[in-house]
Amino acid sequence: MGSLYGSLVVPRSRSCGRVFVVVVFCCLSFLIGSSLGSKARHFKWEAEYMFWSPDCIEHVVMGINGQFPGPTIRATAGDTIVVELTNKLHTEGVVIHWHGIRQFGTPWADGTASISQCVINPGETFVYRFKVDKAGTYFYHGHYGMQRSAGLYGSLIVDLAEGEKEPFHYDGEFNLLLSDWWHQGAHEQEVALSSNPFRWIGEPQALLINGKGQYNCSLAAHFSNSSSILCKLRGNEQCAPQIMHVLPNKTYRLRVTSTTALASLNLAIGNHKMVVVEADGNYVQPFAVNDMDIYSGESYSVLITTDQDPSMNYWVSISVRGRLPKTPQGLTILNYHPTSGSKLPTLPPPVSPLWNDYAHSKSFSNKILALMGSAKPPTNYHRRITLLNTQNKINGFTKWSINNISLALPATPYLGSIKYGLKNAFDHQSPPENFPEYYDVMKPPVNPNSTQGSGVYMLGLNSTVDVILQNANALDANVSEIHPWHLHGHDFWVLGYGEGRFSKKDEKKLNLKNPPLRNTAVIFPYGWTALRFVADNPGVWAFHCHIEPHLHMGMGVVFAEGVQYLKKIPRDALACGLTGKLFMNNKN
Amino acid sequence: MGSLYGSLVVPRSRSCGRVFVVVVFCCLSFLIGSSLGSKARHFKWEAEYMFWSPDCIEHVVMGINGQFPGPTIRATAGDTIVVELTNKLHTEGVVIHWHGIRQFGTPWADGTASISQCVINPGETFVYRFKVDKAGTYFYHGHYGMQRSAGLYGSLIVDLAEGEKEPFHYDGEFNLLLSDWWHQGAHEQEVALSSNPFRWIGEPQALLINGKGQYNCSLAAHFSNSSSILCKLRGNEQCAPQIMHVLPNKTYRLRVTSTTALASLNLAIGNHKMVVVEADGNYVQPFAVNDMDIYSGESYSVLITTDQDPSMNYWVSISVRGRLPKTPQGLTILNYHPTSGSKLPTLPPPVSPLWNDYAHSKSFSNKILALMGSAKPPTNYHRRITLLNTQNKINGFTKWSINNISLALPATPYLGSIKYGLKNAFDHQSPPENFPEYYDVMKPPVNPNSTQGSGVYMLGLNSTVDVILQNANALDANVSEIHPWHLHGHDFWVLGYGEGRFSKKDEKKLNLKNPPLRNTAVIFPYGWTALRFVADNPGVWAFHCHIEPHLHMGMGVVFAEGVQYLKKIPRDALACGLTGKLFMNNKN
């Protein structure tokens, strides 16, 4: 385990020479009361804008401590992570969400603006303190406006506690944090998406692997019929591909996460099969594939064996799924020792499946099952919530709605307004549990008008909740899109995927035997996805489409459970809006 | 007085069709306790980003209620203005400063982030309530980050109280709000100015008159030797010049304000003399000029008489002063009735003085004297503060410093941290009163290093303060720039301008007889400007270079007086940072 041959991504220092006082007390102090061997890992971070060239074209990027992507956090299960995040932006608030970490007992550290905390204002510092209770591959990212699109993200990897063993063997590992990148700034994207007439942001200019991508050039230019230019392998460290150096006849674990704003991706490695062993921090029954889909918000570990001709190098490629691709493949190189890392592969890059070959995607999703012996879901549910995903118009503005309500986040975080019973902080009517019988999911909405709302699904603590995510036709005829839904604060079991409208007859097809535990699950065009989870984590939790422009357009809901049992919510998490006023007026 | 011939700028509604619920309760309710006839004027404003084409090129602009520039406020002296400002930005805070309004008794309504109040966070509303005690020509603008550069500004015009008479006659009036415009967004400008290596934002792409300008075309193309294209007079209402329709043989008052981010301007009207009668809300002894300089932060009223050939139209032009102009003249047309407004003037536009003809500029500034009979300044001062303006390097970052300290605004507004004696909110050492004897203002700094600081000049309440603004050479040899300094909360008397370093011998040249009262005064290259004011307004007040990138780079100081006497500071003005914590912890 661990780095065998220069494999791990080493955060690079900022090239422009600015010196940051980055004090990282790491692996130093034992946490009082935590189990033997677990540690508090301290980080001091500054979120800031900087000029950067993710695809060799310079733009403003949101980074941390002069790095893009932000620093990788590496911890051991049971550790406590302490991130002192200082906002060095000029006029914007900031928060960071720790994607996949369930935040048991620390819902205020979930890093979701308007939900779990007030934003950190410029010049202010907020301390995120939370336990990483489960080994796995995670990441973190901004969860305010479109700051994830702006580049605020990084990796969070949790190793097994000492003495524990993975149910698979590997000799070394790599981290592949996948994202997409626009030349239009995230601020302008926000304005475009909020405009009437609506302005779509279009497809990304580049796909990035560990923050590095290619624009207006290709590493595989010599295989192309077009007159594309060969990208340079060296020269600009901000965009030069990170080459994966391997030894022959070893097994490597690739930790793959997607924090794309929009793109669903297909990952392939020329000539190498991938054995999927982990999904979203949970073990899955291993299975081998030639290529794999990964949607925004998902993470996987796959094993590859370097059993190919070591005198050659091989492509690592990502390409767009589910949307007519206008973005070139993102590429880097798997480099066999002792072959030179600058030797381009002699074979063309992997051909990705047709963008709309959903059968291929579904086949992959259906292969993901819990590792034998994993905990099974409860047999019965207490409550089933069906969530219809539709695209709508509200006063002429294009929105996404769930059961005809487009989520409009309130100024006061729900965690505080629910805890303190504030009546005017959000809509107190519970959102609908279902959608009308007569609604035809295969057609554009007959009445596309819907409303904005901020209601909350209040869940019984420790109740078992089923969610049926129901896809539908968008505003235009014959259009239904992919939406990867991500749940905060919990993992859920993915009980199954189906076509058309979910109905009674689908009930018996649900997999209660070995469904995978995940935190993100996709709905396919015109399909449904069935999830089950236990509402066992007191707090308020976002559940939303992980496509950032879709969330910005209202595609999400809010769950809350057991908030009344929470004690000692740090006041500085709620020092804004109506909770701020409440605290100031000494009425509690 | 008032509109004679369609002269006033009518705020246009947003063309994109979005309907705002703008409730303006205007001229309705008498303010309890205010003098008879004075009113409370209520406005509901939403600050937001929107696509707009100030120079016919579309970019993101910060507007209010769908308008750019923001709505004009028109009030009567003695009125109370009540603006409920809701932040509709996605991730940014916002404040609005009411430039020229002294805010007697309401320092928390001055609208300066970090100084007078906490920023209004997205989704939140703050109520600005303040009295406009003095008739005059004012404006308002953002005072956070570079939101003024982003377009957050508008006009504020205060008419004389009923029964009062202006000391001059006019038949109609026009409002000319002048600004400059970049195609690079304000966010990116902030990042550029904060980068190491430093990136200067360059010259503006267009000069705007009432938010409308020309780019890559000229209204006077037919007079040009180059192959410039004639701009359209109609078609795009966002950028089409606002033509000034006049009747022959009348006198018009032009209310001219400059809210430029950078540019110093020269205004001229072909064939028409201008008689200057007001500066920054104070009457001046009338004098006639062919052209006039106006610096960012200044306002003037000038009278023109329409005594020219009514069968022709005439140019109204603004052009850049004090910097090698790379921005074309901004133009509009003075249209004599009954001549068609689309008839272009037959003469070429006014030729502006050479950009570096500072003698011309100084001559204009020196003509500005108080109207005979105006209040005189106190004969003696209690304290004299000399402020050296230098350009510096701090850890490689390019900054502007005052007496070797570059202003770094704290997260907690001074108004709260001084009132509540918070020790860690800002630097408690008073900044220097002067700069070393040996410093040579004619040369680049020998040691360009300086420090960032947040100290405050604590002024004795009702004391008379003299400020000597001392210009110097910037980092590069033979460079010294224009800086218009603006004082919040007060008017000051401009006692004089001089060359080189201010010295004892300059003392006797100061004008104590009829110096003009103003809120903004320029320092010329390598020169000094002497000001006097009475610190009679309890509060904390910014005093800074009104060039927004310069302020962003630290070019300002903070004055405070009599804060201990303030009662009832609205808590929602201070519900952030350390005052927010203090209020929450119930320790006061």
Side-chain angles (χ1 to χ4, degrees), chain A residues 164-469:
Chain A
E164 304 271 317
K165 275 191 88 170
E166 306 278 8
F168 43 83
H169 162 81
Y170 56 104
D171 304 299
E173 70 170 69
F174 292 90
N175 186 33
L176 299 180
L177 177 62
L178 311 181
S179 58
D180 44 8
W181 184 246
W182 279 255
H183 293 167
Q184 185 184 38
H187 290 118
E188 198 168 323
Q189 291 185 30
E190 283 175 346
V191 182
L193 295 167
S194 311
S195 285
N196 180 1
F198 180 66
R199 304 185 186 200
W200 177 238
I201 57 168
E203 299 300 312
Q205 272 66 63
L207 302 178
L208 309 183
I209 302 175
N210 292 328
K212 292 149 198 289
Q214 297 98 40
Y215 175 73
N216 261 353
C217 69
S218 170
L219 289 170
H222 50 301
F223 295 108
S224 164
N225 294 330
S226 70
S227 58
S228 64
I229 300 161
L230 184 68
C231 310
K232 287 179 187 160
L233 273 176
R234 286 199 190 79
N236 185 340
E237 69 164 40
Q238 292 179 358
C239 57
Q242 277 190 343
I243 293 170
M244 295 162 60
H245 305 286
V246 294
L247 295 176
N249 298 311
K250 300 284 179 189
T251 298
Y252 291 88
R253 178 182 192 167
L254 275 44
R255 295 180 181 270
V256 190
T257 48
S258 173
T259 182
T260 54
L262 173 66
S264 302
L265 299 174
N266 185 269
L267 169 72
I269 301 173
N271 286 35
H272 292 74
K273 278 199 182 296
M274 298 178 284
V275 176
V276 181
V277 294
E278 180 211 346
D280 299 356
N282 295 291
Y283 295 125
V284 301
Q285 190 64 23
F287 63 99
V289 286
N290 290 317
D291 64 86
M292 59 178 284
D293 286 342
I294 178 164
Y295 303 98
S296 180
E298 293 187 332
S299 66
Y300 289 100
S301 282
V302 299
L303 304 178
I304 60 165
T305 303
T306 51
D307 53 7
Q308 296 299 300
D309 179 355
S311 70
M312 282 165 61
N313 290 332
Y314 301 87
W315 293 112
V316 177
S317 83
I318 49 173
S319 47
V320 172
R321 304 282 298 132
R323 307 181 67 88
L324 185 63
K326 294 176 181 165
T327 314
Q329 264 182 325
L331 291 171
T332 186
I333 292 165
L334 186 73
N335 163 238
Y336 271 64
H337 185 78
T339 303
S340 160
S342 3
K343 185 180 173 186
L344 290 171
T346 32
L347 294 170
V351 176
S352 46
L354 276 179
W355 70 271
N356 56 359
D357 181 357
Y358 294 112
H360 187 90
S361 300
K362 290 169 189 171
S363 158
F364 175 75
S365 291
N366 282 312
K367 280 181 188 146
I368 302 167
L369 297 167
L371 180 67
M372 216 178 295
S374 300
K376 288 184 183 178
T379 320
N380 298 306
Y381 60 86
H382 297 100
R383 180 176 177 184
R384 174 174 285 169
I385 301 168
T386 303
L387 299 177
L388 174 69
N389 291 230
T390 57
Q391 199 179 27
N392 301 78
K393 288 273 181 190
I394 300 182
N395 298 327
F397 292 85
T398 302
K399 298 281 180 188
W400 288 95
S401 299
I402 305 308
N403 291 349
N404 228 29
I405 296 175
S406 184
L407 181 63
L409 289 170
T412 306
Y414 291 105
L415 188 63
S417 46
I418 295 174
K419 169 73 182 170
Y420 297 107
L422 302 181
K423 294 236 164 67
N424 301 315
F426 62 93
D427 299 340
H428 276 263
Q429 201 183 347
S430 186
E433 301 277 304
N434 211 325
F435 62 99
E437 275 298 324
Y438 58 78
Y439 192 95
D440 187 348
V441 300
M442 305 306 285
K443 293 194 177 139
V446 175
N447 171 14
N449 210 4
S450 73
T451 55
Q452 288 195 291
S454 59
V456 173
Y457 292 95
M458 300 287 184
L459 308 178
L461 188 61
N462 296 318
S463 66
T464 300
V465 179
D466 270 22
V467 173
I468 310 294
L469 286 165

Side-chain angles (χ1 to χ4, degrees), chain A residues 45-203:
Chain A
W45 283 3
E46 296 184 342
E48 57 173 351
Y49 283 111
M50 55 196 193
F51 288 102
W52 203 266
S53 305
D55 57 0
C56 297
I57 306 291
E58 190 184 72
H59 279 95
V60 168
V61 170
M62 198 177 282
I64 295 171
N65 292 352
Q67 297 175 33
F68 168 77
T72 294
I73 292 183
R74 187 117 199 170
T76 301
D79 285 354
T80 296
I81 305 292
V82 184
V83 176
E84 286 182 45
L85 177 62
T86 298
N87 181 351
K88 290 280 183 181
L89 310 176
H90 298 289
T91 54
E92 278 178 79
V94 77
V95 293
I96 289 184
H97 169 58
W98 315 94
H99 187 109
I101 306 301
R102 287 166 301 172
Q103 303 287 357
F104 277 120
T106 54
W108 48 81
D110 193 43
T112 44
S114 288
I115 298 174
S116 67
Q117 71 168 117
C118 300
V119 298
I120 310 162
N121 278 329
E124 307 250 17
T125 299
F126 181 81
V127 181
Y128 289 98
R129 185 187 303 269
F130 56 91
K131 206 162 181 173
V132 288
D133 61 326
K134 191 157 61 85
T137 304
Y138 308 104
F139 60 109
Y140 61 84
H141 59 79
H143 214 296
Y144 188 38
M146 290 184 45
Q147 293 183 344
R148 178 157 60 88
S149 297
L152 186 57
Y153 47 74
S155 295
L156 197 176
I157 295 170
V158 182
D159 291 309
L160 280 176
E162 228 178 297
E164 304 271 317
K165 275 191 88 170
E166 306 278 8
F168 43 83
H169 162 81
Y170 56 104
D171 304 299
E173 70 170 69
F174 292 90
N175 186 33
L176 299 180
L177 177 62
L178 311 181
S179 58
D180 44 8
W181 184 246
W182 279 255
H183 293 167
Q184 185 184 38
H187 290 118
E188 198 168 323
Q189 291 185 30
E190 283 175 346
V191 182
L193 295 167
S194 311
S195 285
N196 180 1
F198 180 66
R199 304 185 186 200
W200 177 238
I201 57 168
E203 299 300 312

Side-chain angles (χ1 to χ4, degrees), chain A residues 584, chain B residues 107-109 112-118 410-426 428 456 458 538-541 558-564 566-583 588:
Chain A
M584 288 200 300
Chain B
W108 47 82
T112 45
S114 288
I115 298 175
S116 68
Q117 70 168 115
C118 300
T412 306
Y414 291 105
L415 188 64
S417 47
I418 295 175
K419 169 74 182 170
Y420 297 107
L422 302 180
K423 292 237 166 66
N424 301 315
F426 63 93
H428 277 264
V456 173
M458 300 288 183
V540 187
W541 307 106
V558 177
F559 292 146
E561 67 220 37
V563 175
Q564 65 275 27
L566 289 170
K567 284 174 188 157
K568 296 185 194 162
I569 303 179
R571 285 194 162 194
D572 64 342
L574 301 175
C576 69
L578 298 176
T579 36
K581 281 199 171 64
L582 178 83
F583 294 157
N588 68 99

Side-chain angles (χ1 to χ4, degrees), chain A residues 16 18 49 51 58 90-93 121-122 124 144 187 190 194-196 199 397 571 577 583-584 586, chain B residues 16 18 51 58 90-93 121-122 124 144 187 190-191 194-196 199 397 571 577 583-584 586:
Chain A
C16 62
R18 181 168 173 183
Y49 283 111
F51 288 102
E58 190 184 72
H90 298 289
T91 54
E92 278 178 79
N121 278 329
E124 307 250 17
Y144 188 38
H187 290 118
E190 283 175 346
S194 311
S195 285
N196 180 1
R199 304 185 186 200
F397 292 85
R571 286 195 162 195
F583 295 157
M584 288 200 300
N586 313 333
Chain B
C16 63
R18 181 166 173 187
F51 288 102
E58 192 184 70
H90 298 290
T91 54
E92 278 177 78
N121 277 329
E124 308 250 19
Y144 187 38
H187 291 118
E190 283 175 346
V191 182
S194 311
S195 286
N196 180 359
R199 305 187 187 199
F397 292 86
R571 285 194 162 194
F583 294 157
M584 286 198 301
N586 313 334

